[in-house]
């Protein structure tokens, strides 16, 4: 069975500093990987996804993530955060051909002015 | 704007009451999903519907029923609400290959 681990439940970071939100998954088969963002009192919005091909994936709002198969990781990065990036971020995984996403428990990113 | 619409946005129920959460999408997606979100637990799948006329249990289906009324609509019903069902409920549509579109959620409190 697959699972997703987001080790950091909260990440505070100063404005304009870089940030990395960590995600590790466990699966014995090929997977699709996703990052979603949830702003306060809103639904989830897709940031980026990895299906195949280049392991470096670029998404919206200047975020990117790198798929590392050997370390079963899909960490999310941004070189310089803004106040507006304050939100909760969820990593998710699905099996290729499956019809469900498994979500991590989320990381709350707080950008400090 | 295209998307997923959920109603109601807020609801308070007494233990034992029933209610139906409504969801509609206008993106012509075959698949639709119901998740619940609880603090520290992320999102957990309650039920999904891969196509019109089919529904399947997810990770936490107990206490819920669903109906895929047509391609657009997928409702979630609580027959006898319990305090453990206090949560935020999200409907979504889409496919794993392309990502899901989520509704804005229903915040349900059972007292």
């Amino acid at each position: 069975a697959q699972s997703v681990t987001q080790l950091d439940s909260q990440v505070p970071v100063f404005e304009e500093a870089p940030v990395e939100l960590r995600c590790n998954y466990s699966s014995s088969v090929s997977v699709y990987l996703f990052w979603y963002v949830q702003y306060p009192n809103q639904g989830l919005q897709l940031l980026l996804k990895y299906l195949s091909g280049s392991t470096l994936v670029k998404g919206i709002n200047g975020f990117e993530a790198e798929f590392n198969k050997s370390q079963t990781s899909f960490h999310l990065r941004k070189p310089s955060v803004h106040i507006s990036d304050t939100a909760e971020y969820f990593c998710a995984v699905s099996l290729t051909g499956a019809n469900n996403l498994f979500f991590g428990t989320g990381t709350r990113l707080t950008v400090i002015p | 704007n295209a998307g997923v619409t959920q109603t109601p946005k807020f609801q308070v129920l007494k233990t034992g009451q029933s209610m139906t959460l409504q969801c509609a999408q206008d993106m012509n997606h075959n698949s639709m999903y119901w998740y619940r979100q609880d603090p520290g637990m992320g999102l957990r799948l309650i039920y999904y519907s891969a196509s019109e006329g089919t529904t399947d249990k997810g990770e936490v289906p107990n206490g819920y029923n669903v109906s895929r009324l047509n391609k657009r609509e997928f409702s979630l019903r609580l027959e006898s609400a319990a305090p453990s069902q206090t949560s935020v409920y999200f409907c979504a549509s889409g496919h794993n290959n392309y990502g899901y579109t989520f509704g804005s959620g229903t915040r349900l409190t059972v007292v």
Side-chain angles (χ1 to χ4, degrees):
Chain A
Q2 60 274 16
S3 66
V4 181
T5 302
Q6 292 182 249
L7 288 173
D8 305 306
S9 59
Q10 297 189 57
V11 173
V13 63
F14 285 104
E15 191 175 14
E16 297 184 2
V19 69
E20 178 179 83
L21 306 183
R22 297 181 292 168
C23 173
N24 287 88
Y25 67 94
S26 63
S27 175
S28 58
V29 298
S30 296
V31 296
Y32 295 153
L33 294 158
F34 303 81
W35 275 100
Y36 285 83
V37 59
Q38 184 180 30
Y39 299 105
N41 299 314
Q42 295 186 25
L44 279 72
Q45 177 182 356
L46 182 65
L47 263 183
L48 49 78
K49 61 188 175 187
Y50 172 79
L51 305 181
S52 64
S54 173
T55 57
L56 183 62
V57 179
K58 294 190 182 296
I60 62 172
N61 301 339
F63 284 92
E64 63 182 30
E66 186 159 17
F67 170 59
N68 188 318
K69 188 174 182 179
S70 62
Q71 297 186 7
T72 60
S73 68
F74 190 55
H75 300 334
L76 181 71
R77 301 185 184 101
K78 186 169 183 178
S80 176
V81 295
H82 303 290
I83 296 291
S84 58
D85 293 323
T86 294
E88 190 146 19
Y89 293 79
F90 292 92
C91 183
V93 62
S94 74
L95 300 180
T96 53
N99 204 19
N100 182 22
L101 285 182
F102 290 90
F103 285 85
T105 52
T107 297
R108 184 170 299 278
L109 173 65
T110 301
V111 180
I112 304 164
Chain B
N1 293 333
V4 177
T5 303
Q6 287 183 240
T7 56
K9 292 190 182 302
F10 302 93
Q11 184 71 48
V12 178
L13 290 178
K14 293 182 178 178
T15 298
Q17 286 185 320
S18 63
M19 79 163 294
T20 300
L21 282 65
Q22 306 286 354
C23 175
Q25 54 97 3
D26 57 6
M27 295 169 289
N28 204 35
H29 289 152
N30 286 321
S31 300
M32 297 185 72
Y33 310 84
W34 276 105
Y35 284 88
R36 60 177 289 173
Q37 183 180 25
D38 301 291
M41 302 190 74
L43 279 80
R44 293 179 291 169
L45 183 67
I46 305 171
Y47 271 94
Y48 69 96
S49 170
S51 62
E52 185 178 352
T54 68
T55 61
D56 286 288
K57 295 179 180 179
E59 188 181 357
V60 289
N62 291 343
Y64 305 95
N65 287 302
V66 290
S67 296
R68 184 71 183 269
L69 305 171
N70 47 57
K71 192 170 186 178
R72 290 188 63 249
E73 298 173 288
F74 187 39
S75 63
L76 178 72
R77 183 163 178 82
L78 288 71
E79 290 291 351
S80 179
S84 61
Q85 293 178 304
T86 293
S87 187
V88 182
Y89 293 85
F90 286 101
C91 178
S93 70
H95 191 275
N96 294 351
N97 289 15
Y98 309 110
Y100 295 174
T101 299
F102 283 82
S104 57
T106 296
R107 189 172 297 272
L108 175 67
T109 301
V110 183
V111 298

